[in-house]
Amino acid sequence: MKDILIDTVDAIVIGAGTIGTATAWHLAKRGLKKVVLIERNTIGSGNTSKAASLMTLVRTKEELIPLIQETYKNIDEIETLTGELTGRNKVGTLHIASSEESVKNLENIVAIANKHHIKNKEISIEEVKEKAPWISTSAIKKTSFMEDDSYVDAYLLANAFAKAAKMEGAVIMQHTEVLELLSEDNEITGVKTSKGIIKSPVIIDAAGCWSNLLSLQLNIPIPMAAVRSIYWITESINTLFPKNHPMVVMPDAMAYSRPENGALLFGLREENSPHFHPKELNPQPNSDFLGAKDDEWDILEKYGKEFINYFPQFEEIGMKNCITGISTYTPDGYYTVGTFPNFKGFYAATGCAGCGVAGSGGIGRLVAEMVLKIPLYANSEVFRIDRFTNFDPHSESFRQRCADARSKKKDGG
């Protein structure tokens, strides 16, 4: 292995999911001429490719909204720039409430939408049936339709961001593993990779669920843990699942859904989502089921009961697939973005809290502005890497706190 592979670049981004590729693009387009994006596999091939990728704009954690809005703007820009599609489907999101608590929560969501000038309207039961024929409307007390919401293909989005970054001059290194973060006197000096050393004063850790394996080399704990996400895809029935029927958020069933080529993709929230030490996870792209194989059907049996209230044909419809992946959850449900006190040149861009694809462009811009030391376009205080103290991100107790955050999440997808 060569001692010095590249000497010296302006910034290194580790991880080529949607967040890493978006960050590389934002850095390059803002004038950094030597940006290197490193991925040990191929672009977007890991957990990114398994994401359900709902791009719901309205969030009860309002600080996320400007970042998601930025991603929408970025998609327009990179599709125009590269000529590549991102699998964007503008179908809107239907929020439905069936209990007094969820009605109040939906009223709050509508107020947030209005505050941020996000189009929304209450629709009639007849319109619900027209838009989503599979839904039983008998229990619905209130609705709101957010017409501008979309979902994307996260794999295509990551590759479009990467192509845009390359067009702006970034260098992309695939099949290259980062073995060590290099530093002197609490200051980044570069990385040691499977192909050699690359010198740089700036490193952005966007390695997803493996981020702490890198950051802890510098005694920097990132407040996040790898938590399982799970969703199912039904058989295709065009009469029940029109191709462009809306995404649906059903808090009373702890469920969400979106269309999937004439089928229904839906996810259910578990009461106790499994969490993992990153060393337990396969670093290679794979389709292995995470956790006990019986979970695929046990979860449907245990947590699908409320879902049946909205989808009475649920038990009769065949299931084509069950997908598990990893999200990096934080105890408070906010991203983890930025620097670590008294350590120069290290930036985190991870802890996606289940909506990393939606916020990827916004995170990328925020990190780029931090690196370039220019005014930030959005509030970053809630995303601080040091907002939790005295914790071990790999401990069972901390990972459980992160898993609990996923289990209790009701909005978004």
Side-chain angles (χ1 to χ4, degrees):
M1 178 169 56
K2 296 179 181 178
D3 289 336
I4 304 297
L5 180 63
I6 303 177
D7 185 23
T8 298
V9 303
D10 294 324
I12 297 169
V13 183
I14 305 170
T18 53
I19 293 174
T21 53
T23 301
W25 174 61
H26 275 285
L27 287 166
K29 72 176 285 195
R30 282 167 172 76
L32 283 193
K33 298 303 181 186
K34 295 182 180 180
V35 177
V36 175
L37 174 65
I38 303 177
E39 168 57 46
R40 65 179 166 188
N41 297 306
T42 58
I43 295 164
S45 62
N47 284 299
T48 294
S49 63
K50 300 178 181 180
S53 305
L54 279 65
M55 302 270 292
T56 45
L57 283 160
V58 179
R59 304 280 170 161
T60 52
K61 292 178 172 58
E62 293 184 56
E63 294 89 348
L64 302 180
I65 295 175
L67 279 67
I68 298 169
Q69 290 174 323
E70 176 68 17
T71 306
Y72 271 82
K73 295 174 186 175
N74 292 172
I75 288 173
D76 287 335
E77 186 173 350
I78 63 174
E79 286 189 339
T80 300
L81 177 66
T82 66
E84 300 286 342
L85 297 178
T86 60
R88 174 174 46 178
N89 290 272
K90 181 181 172 182
V91 296
T93 300
L94 175 61
H95 296 256
I96 54 180
S98 301
S99 66
E100 290 185 12
E101 179 185 3
S102 62
V103 167
K104 289 179 181 178
N105 289 339
L106 184 51
E107 288 171 348
N108 179 51
I109 288 171
V110 168
I112 292 170
N114 291 334
K115 177 180 175 182
H116 291 271
H117 309 290
I118 297 168
K119 292 180 183 178
N120 67 93
K121 62 181 179 180
E122 184 159 7
I123 64 174
S124 67
I125 294 300
E126 290 74 20
E127 288 177 287
V128 171
K129 290 300 294 182
E130 182 180 343
K131 289 181 180 297
W134 60 271
I135 293 180
S136 170
T137 59
S138 59
I140 297 176
K141 296 179 181 289
K142 186 177 179 60
T143 69
S144 182
F145 182 59
M146 313 286 179
E147 62 183 81
D148 287 336
D149 282 358
S150 301
Y151 66 92
V152 297
D153 183 316
Y155 175 81
L156 294 179
L157 178 59
N159 277 272
F161 270 132
K163 183 173 181 179
K166 192 172 182 179
M167 291 173 69
E168 296 287 356
V171 174
I172 299 174
M173 298 177 62
Q174 300 182 77
H175 304 292
T176 305
E177 184 171 4
V178 174
L179 305 173
E180 185 180 352
L181 303 188
L182 305 177
S183 66
E184 291 181 7
D185 300 322
N186 287 346
E187 185 172 341
I188 288 294
T189 59
V191 297
K192 180 180 180 182
T193 77
S194 55
K195 296 178 180 177
I197 290 172
I198 305 174
K199 290 187 175 182
S200 178
V202 172
I203 289 174
I204 296 96
D205 185 349
C209 56
W210 294 280
S211 293
N212 269 304
L213 293 181
L214 296 172
S215 69
L216 287 174
Q217 296 175 7
L218 309 174
N219 295 316
I220 296 175
I222 299 175
M224 49 151 251
V227 180
R228 183 178 75 182
S229 61
I230 184 168
Y231 61 82
W232 294 259
I233 301 172
T234 70
E235 61 183 339
S236 298
I237 304 177
N238 290 324
T239 53
L240 267 186
F241 313 124
K243 186 176 180 180
N244 291 315
H245 77 271
M247 300 178 287
V248 185
V249 176
M250 300 155 275
D252 292 293
M254 297 291 280
Y256 68 88
S257 71
R258 70 161 173 81
E260 176 69 11
N261 297 321
L264 185 73
L265 181 156
F266 68 92
L268 303 175
R269 307 291 185 202
E270 307 169 67
E271 285 182 2
N272 192 12
S273 300
H275 53 79
F276 303 88
H277 190 291
K279 288 184 177 179
E280 297 178 83
L281 300 171
N282 187 343
Q284 299 297 323
N286 69 90
S287 57
D288 294 343
F289 190 91
L290 292 166
K293 185 61 179 174
D294 289 346
D295 284 355
E296 180 175 345
W297 306 113
D298 289 350
I299 293 169
L300 288 178
E301 174 98 16
K302 186 172 183 180
Y303 301 110
K305 294 174 182 177
E306 298 301 324
F307 189 42
I308 293 175
N309 292 334
Y310 297 110
F311 186 13
Q313 292 171 281
F314 173 49
E315 294 181 302
E316 303 166 18
I317 299 295
M319 296 297 155
K320 187 166 58 178
N321 210 347
C322 179
I323 306 294
T324 55
I326 289 294
S327 293
T328 52
Y329 268 86
T330 59
D332 57 6
Y334 286 104
Y335 302 138
T336 300
V337 181
T339 58
F340 192 74
N342 303 316
F343 207 107
K344 187 176 180 181
F346 177 86
Y347 297 81
T350 186
C352 69
C355 51
V357 175
S360 56
I363 293 171
R365 177 177 173 183
L366 205 56
V367 174
E369 291 174 348
M370 290 176 178
V371 170
L372 294 168
K373 295 179 172 50
I374 59 178
L376 305 184
Y377 81 100
N379 174 27
S380 67
E381 189 65 23
V382 294
F383 308 131
R384 286 176 61 96
I385 192 174
D386 61 336
R387 65 187 187 272
F388 297 95
T389 57
N390 300 319
F391 70 96
D392 174 1
H394 290 162
S395 69
E396 178 78 19
S397 59
F398 188 81
R399 282 157 41 199
Q400 186 61 55
R401 287 175 64 189
C402 296
D404 289 344
R406 183 192 188 276
S407 301
K408 295 172 183 176
K409 180 180 175 183
K410 292 187 177 182
D411 64 333

